Amino acid sequence: MNGERGRTVGQLNLFADHIEAGDYLDRRHDEALPDRAPLPRPDIRMMQRPIGPVAVFGASNFPLAFSTAGGDTAAALAAGCPVVVKGHSAHPGTSDLVAQAIDAAIQTCRIHPGVFSQIQGGNRAVGQAVVQHPLIKAVGFTGSLGGGRALFDLCAARPEPIPFFGELGSVNPMFILNGALASRGGEIATGWAGSLTMGAGQFCTNPGIAVVRAGADADAFLQAAKTALEQVGAQTMLTNGIASAYHQGRDRVAATSGVQSVLTTTCDLRNATPYLFTTTAADWLANEELGEEVFGPLGMLVTVADDAEMMAVAKSLQGQLTCTIHMDDSDADAARALLPILERKAGRVLANGFPTGVEVCDTMVHGGPYPASTNFGATSVGTMSIRRFLRPVSYQNIPLSVLPQDLTD
């Protein structure tokens, strides 16, 4: 919670600096050319403008960073849009405390009170009513594929369809190339176990899949991962719903044809313990369900026979938030062949690291092709997230005395 609070406050400060600099406005100016032939050119200026009130759905797994004052709220406010938050039922007290802090800031800064509102409680009909309200112009959501898809469809079915920016999760595969596997497979396996179980695996960037070439090095990697995971005890998950979904996902994977259990533990109620499975590329490619996210500390090793099978696994992936390549210098050719595929599959591609931990900065992309997110051209983290709630407007031959101040400064 301390780390998440620091991240949330840091994000708000970053966005404040960004909008004060004015970069998000993307201001452009084509000066008039009255003597141009065959036709004169008018004076045209352009900048980004807020789209209007935004509905934000708080996330269950990040009570601060992706909820009441989290990424979507910060981005919408930075764009100049009023925000209506639907607080998540998993942490109503935290949501209320944060809302009180926002209200205090509104009063201190003498901002119109309609800039921020929060709704608590109720069933799904409450969230549906918010999405369908005619004044809402966009929706931000972080959560499950099922819940996000339902809200996405509601947005599209409105008399005035509106954009839905949903971050829905992914399996975040890692591709461990031969040189790296041979030279430091044990180190990567230990790091994978730590990333896989961080926060009981309740990160949307949790690396649930590792892809390696079959052989003695892969066997050693699997054993090292198992040994590291065996040291991790039961962790309490954030909600009963998350825990139940994790247990169901574990059972689904264990019952899938071609999947072998490597580490089997026991957990019930709100507890989560790590599980480790292995399968072949052939079985992975034959079972689309293996590519579905299991939200929790569950890992699967996919073994491939050669580089061609590794490429086939990469091409089979659905949209991802992240893809990772573990490589040494000797793997450069293989990595160059893999990168053009992975950059089409994910919003963030990283090398020799683990995707848990999303830096809040100008260059971060937290999004990807569906089903990782519903808008592959957007990000829900970093300063570019502000642009989701802006639209460009051109001003042609508007006198300076009439133009918005942002265009005349």
Side-chain angles (χ1 to χ4, degrees):
M1 291 297 289
N2 286 334
E4 193 186 346
R5 178 172 178 264
R7 172 199 170 96
T8 305
V9 173
Q11 177 167 257
L12 294 169
N13 285 324
L14 172 67
F15 282 18
D17 293 340
H18 185 74
I19 62 175
E20 286 182 341
D23 296 339
Y24 74 109
L25 294 171
D26 191 20
R27 288 172 286 204
R28 306 182 186 198
H29 183 201
D30 286 309
E31 294 183 358
L33 298 175
D35 299 326
R36 190 185 67 175
L39 294 172
R41 184 177 75 186
D43 183 272
I44 304 176
R45 301 169 189 254
M46 187 278 288
M47 72 171 176
Q48 303 285 341
R49 301 298 285 159
I51 61 175
V54 174
V56 172
F57 284 76
S60 63
N61 60 328
F62 282 99
L64 296 176
F66 280 94
S67 290
T68 302
D72 288 340
T73 297
L77 291 175
C81 299
V83 174
V84 179
V85 173
K86 174 63 175 72
H88 199 283
S89 59
H91 42 77
T94 301
S95 299
D96 189 58
L97 286 171
V98 176
Q100 290 179 45
I102 295 173
D103 184 60
I106 287 172
Q107 295 183 44
T108 299
C109 298
R110 298 181 181 179
I111 297 172
H112 193 287
V115 161
F116 175 83
S117 306
Q118 180 165 259
I119 299 168
Q120 295 268 40
N123 55 25
R124 290 183 178 180
V126 176
Q128 293 171 356
V130 174
V131 170
Q132 293 175 315
H133 195 284
L135 292 182
I136 294 296
K137 299 301 181 182
V139 175
F141 174 86
T142 299
S144 68
L145 176 59
R149 183 64 205 221
L151 293 175
F152 177 84
D153 292 343
L154 278 178
C155 290
R158 286 175 33 138
E160 176 200 356
I162 58 174
F164 176 81
F165 299 100
E167 190 268 280
L168 310 179
S170 65
V171 296
N172 306 295
M174 303 191 312
F175 293 82
I176 305 165
L177 304 185
N178 296 340
L181 182 64
S183 65
R184 50 191 176 87
E187 176 187 337
I188 298 171
T190 301
W192 181 37
S195 183
L196 196 65
T197 57
M198 182 186 298
Q202 297 170 109
F203 289 81
C204 49
T205 52
N206 192 29
I209 306 295
V211 184
V212 301
R213 190 165 186 167
D217 290 335
D219 294 340
F221 176 90
L222 190 63
Q223 182 58 49
K226 178 184 178 183
T227 299
L229 289 171
E230 285 175 334
Q231 310 306 310
V232 179
Q235 300 179 73
T236 303
M237 304 196 89
L238 284 164
T239 71
N240 290 330
I242 292 176
S244 177
Y246 174 59
H247 301 155
Q248 292 172 15
R250 166 205 64 193
D251 295 341
R252 171 178 57 80
V253 171
T256 302
S257 175
V259 173
Q260 297 179 351
S261 296
V262 178
L263 175 63
T264 300
T265 54
T266 301
C267 61
D268 56 12
L269 303 176
R270 285 270 291 277
N271 293 326
T273 50
Y275 287 80
L276 182 60
F277 299 92
T278 185
T279 191
T280 65
D283 287 316
W284 166 274
L285 294 170
N287 293 284
E288 288 187 4
E289 286 189 352
L290 294 180
E292 297 178 6
E293 180 185 32
V294 178
F295 197 63
L298 183 149
M300 179 177 296
L301 185 75
V302 180
T303 57
V304 301
D306 49 31
D307 290 346
E309 266 201 343
M310 182 171 284
M311 298 285 278
V313 170
K315 291 177 180 179
S316 75
L317 293 169
Q318 292 185 305
Q320 305 293 325
L321 294 172
T322 73
C323 288
T324 301
I325 301 173
H326 287 277
M327 57 173 289
D328 284 352
D329 291 342
S330 61
D331 298 314
D333 288 341
R336 273 193 293 269
L338 197 56
L339 185 59
I341 298 172
L342 300 186
E343 69 182 13
R344 289 172 172 82
K345 298 291 185 178
R348 176 164 57 115
V349 183
L350 57 152
N352 298 329
F354 300 94
T356 39
V358 183
E359 186 69 26
V360 182
C361 59
D362 292 332
T363 53
M364 179 53 63
V365 174
H366 189 62
Y370 186 84
S373 64
T374 55
N375 191 310
F376 64 85
T379 174
S380 62
V381 175
T383 54
M384 275 188 62
S385 66
I386 299 169
R387 292 183 178 239
R388 295 174 298 167
F389 306 118
L390 295 165
R391 64 181 184 90
V393 178
S394 289
Y395 300 84
Q396 183 169 323
N397 288 335
I398 303 295
L400 287 176
S401 60
V402 179
L403 281 171
Q405 185 176 346
D406 281 328
L407 271 177
T408 59
D409 285 346

